[in-house]
Amino acid sequence: PMLDEPFDQNALRWPEYQSQNILFRIENGHYIIENKDGSDVIAERPVSLDETRDFVIRCRIRQTAGMARSRVGLIWGMKNYQEYFAFEISPSGQFSVYDYYLGKVSLLKAWTDEARILGKNNYNTLEIRKTQDDIIFYINEQQVYLRAFDGLH
């Protein structure tokens, strides 16, 4: 794999930070994010993607607190906080895929019920596979969405 982070020694230098409302830390093989005010929070680790080649992005994620309509997920193709793509799930069993560009959300896949999403306190594996001309989204090893790959911003 191009990037594999077991979150044991923070060799890839994920941000660790603490304020009154936000906490990022590595602990016992997990990257912990606590958000007390409910605002959007992004923990980033930039990785270059060659969009002319196939790629796979995968993460195992667990939400332990928050409202049923809160969301967690993967961001890719991020140039800055105004340009990125997101694949998110909610503990209420829904997922979405969107493009965030210059302050505007364009839903590529609107929030959709998905029985394969395990609720709060359970691990879910999210995967994005770019294969030739398609980009395919998986939740817990099951394909949930496919679309033509239009490139990154």
Side-chain angles (χ1 to χ4, degrees):
M2 177 173 44
L3 176 77
D4 184 21
E5 176 62 83
F7 295 117
D8 54 5
Q9 298 177 15
N10 199 13
L12 297 173
R13 301 186 195 281
W14 287 84
E16 293 190 89
Y17 169 80
Q18 184 170 354
S19 71
Q20 184 175 1
N21 293 318
I22 305 294
L23 169 75
F24 296 100
R25 84 171 172 265
I26 292 180
E27 180 179 293
N28 299 323
H30 292 88
Y31 188 55
I32 310 291
I33 301 171
E34 293 179 9
N35 178 2
K36 295 178 183 173
D37 70 5
S39 62
D40 286 347
V41 175
I42 296 174
E44 63 178 282
R45 176 57 180 94
V47 175
S48 291
L49 291 175
D50 180 352
E51 62 186 278
T52 65
R53 300 181 63 182
D54 293 350
F55 59 79
V56 176
I57 304 168
R58 180 183 310 116
C59 78
R60 199 176 93 165
I61 195 164
R62 178 177 64 161
Q63 183 173 350
T64 60
M67 299 175 2
R69 295 301 270 171
S70 58
R71 59 199 200 279
V72 296
L74 278 174
I75 290 179
W76 79 100
M78 182 178 190
K79 289 189 177 177
N80 55 54
Y81 289 105
Q82 295 293 313
E83 298 180 46
Y84 59 84
F85 295 89
F87 176 28
E88 298 180 332
I89 62 172
S90 74
S92 62
Q94 296 182 314
F95 79 96
S96 75
V97 179
Y98 64 88
D99 177 1
Y100 189 76
Y101 186 70
L102 301 179
K104 182 181 175 202
V105 172
S106 297
L107 286 174
L108 305 177
K109 177 69 173 172
W111 284 101
T112 302
D113 290 336
E114 179 50 61
R116 292 174 191 93
I117 297 172
L118 306 174
K120 217 180 267 186
N121 296 311
N122 292 291
Y123 286 100
N124 287 281
T125 300
L126 304 182
E127 183 173 303
I128 302 165
R129 287 186 201 168
K130 191 265 184 182
T131 56
Q132 296 180 334
D133 298 327
D134 294 322
I135 191 159
I136 310 164
F137 299 83
Y138 295 82
I139 297 173
N140 297 325
E141 301 182 5
Q142 297 293 314
Q143 179 180 321
V144 294
Y145 180 54
L146 175 142
R147 65 177 278 118
F149 181 71
D150 300 330
L152 305 173
H153 295 127

